[in-house]
């Protein structure tokens, strides 16, 4: 466990040198974040806009090369704060959000790269567009001027992740998207084998959330 262990495990995978490690800092104590910052980690993921803002607004000036990814569900009324804070939005998953995000990015003149979240397991409680509705949403997002560069998924907890990673990989390939955010503490090595370019790892770096 720990940042160096995770980095070494990624580096050992074929293609691992091209993988971006997104350190998931949600619900972690500040001293653990500072420790990882001191080891040079600069890409972090947060799943809540408010929590992310509370943590990072103060730290940001000291780390100008910080890159913050939003990896949790985004409500329309938080889009203003999200566009101000984050550098990548990984969880675009519905038409209404596309419209509100596109308008906010124009307003702020801040055109962030976005990933579309695909609900590969079609779980009702989970965010993400159903695989069957994905192509239409991508078209809508592109037409609205969003810069969609990749896809993201969170496989069902009790499935083997392989078929979900394979599906996401295929969708990205068919639609010419170069980024694939998949794999967490338990399965990031598998995800890299399926072509992940971004892995989102929390507890394997920081320890259990508090
Ligand atoms: C919390 C979270 C992670 C990290 O989970 P770990 O199992 O701690 O690595 C990754 N992705 C998303 C979307 C999350 O919410």
């Amino acid at each position: 466990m720990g940042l160096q262990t995770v980095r070494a495990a990624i580096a050992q995978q074929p293609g691992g040198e091209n993988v971006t490690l997104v350190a998931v800092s949600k619900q972690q104590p500040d001293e653990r974040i500072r420790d990882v910052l001191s080891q040079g980690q600069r890409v972090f993921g947060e799943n809540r806009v408010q929590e992310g803002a509370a943590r990072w607004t103060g730290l940001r000036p000291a780390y100008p090369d910080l890159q913050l990814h939003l990896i949790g569900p985004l409500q329309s009324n938080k889009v203003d704060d999200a566009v101000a804070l984050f550098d990548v939005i990984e969880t675009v998953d519905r038409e209404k959000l596309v419209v509100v995000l596109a308008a906010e990015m124009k307003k702020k003149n801040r055109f962030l790269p976005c990933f579309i979240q695909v609900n590969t397991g079609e779980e009702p409680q989970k965010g993400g567009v159903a695989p069957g509705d994905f192509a239409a949403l991508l078209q809508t997002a592109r037409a609205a001027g969003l810069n969609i560069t990749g896809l993201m998924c969170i496989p069902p907890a009790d499935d083997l992740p392989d078929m979900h990673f394979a599906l996401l990989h295929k969708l990205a390939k068919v639609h010419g998207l170069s980024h694939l955010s998949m794999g967490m503490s338990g399965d990031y090595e598998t995800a890299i084998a399926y072509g992940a370019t971004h892995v989102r790892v929390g507890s394997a770096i920081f320890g259990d959330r508090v």
Side-chain angles (χ1 to χ4, degrees), residues 24 26 47 71-72 152 154 183-186 200-204 209:
V24 177
K26 68 179 188 197
N47 71 331
I71 62 168
M152 180 270 215
I154 310 169
M184 318 201 311
S185 288
R200 309 178 308 269
V201 181
S203 45
R209 286 180 275 280

Side-chain angles (χ1 to χ4, degrees), residues 36-201:
V36 163
L37 279 165
S38 75
Q39 296 177 64
Q41 178 67 28
R42 289 295 180 271
V43 186
F44 291 87
E46 290 282 351
N47 71 331
R48 288 163 184 258
V49 177
Q50 249 59 46
E51 189 191 333
R55 184 197 300 288
W56 291 106
T57 305
L59 278 172
R60 187 137 225 184
Y63 301 96
D65 51 347
L66 201 68
Q67 275 232 25
L68 296 179
H69 287 228
L70 178 64
I71 62 168
L74 178 55
Q75 293 164 287
S76 299
N77 64 358
K78 304 260 170 65
V79 162
D80 180 352
D81 292 340
V83 172
L85 178 71
F86 289 97
D87 303 290
V88 178
I89 310 279
E90 294 202 13
T91 50
V92 176
D93 66 352
R94 59 196 188 279
E95 204 165 306
K96 165 119 196 268
L97 181 57
V98 163
V99 172
V100 178
L101 267 173
E104 193 62 39
M105 289 185 193
K106 281 199 190 94
K107 190 173 148 198
K108 291 193 162 62
N109 197 25
R110 213 175 126 71
F111 297 96
L112 309 178
C114 296
F115 300 173
I116 289 180
Q117 182 180 356
V118 183
N119 189 350
T120 56
E122 305 204 41
E123 296 173 283
Q125 83 283 9
K126 220 169 242 177
V129 63
D133 299 330
F134 162 71
L137 182 65
L138 176 62
Q139 195 172 31
T140 303
R142 283 175 167 162
L146 282 194
N147 180 19
I148 305 291
T149 65
L151 301 180
M152 180 270 215
C153 77
I154 310 169
D158 44 11
D159 267 8
L160 276 179
D162 297 63
M163 60 179 275
H164 301 277
F165 294 159
L167 172 60
L168 205 68
H169 178 96
K170 185 177 151 210
L171 284 176
K173 195 167 171 191
V174 167
H175 293 278
L177 297 163
S178 53
H179 292 152
L180 271 181
S181 171
M182 54 191 199
M184 318 201 311
S185 288
D187 55 18
Y188 63 93
E189 290 157 295
T190 307
I192 294 169
Y194 282 95
T197 62
H198 294 68
V199 292
R200 309 178 308 269
V201 181

Side-chain angles (χ1 to χ4, degrees), residues 1-3 5-6 28 184-186 188 201-208:
M1 217 190 59
L3 180 66
T5 307
V6 172
Q28 294 288 354
M184 318 201 311
S185 288
Y188 63 93
V201 181
S203 45
I205 294 176
F206 296 106
D208 288 339

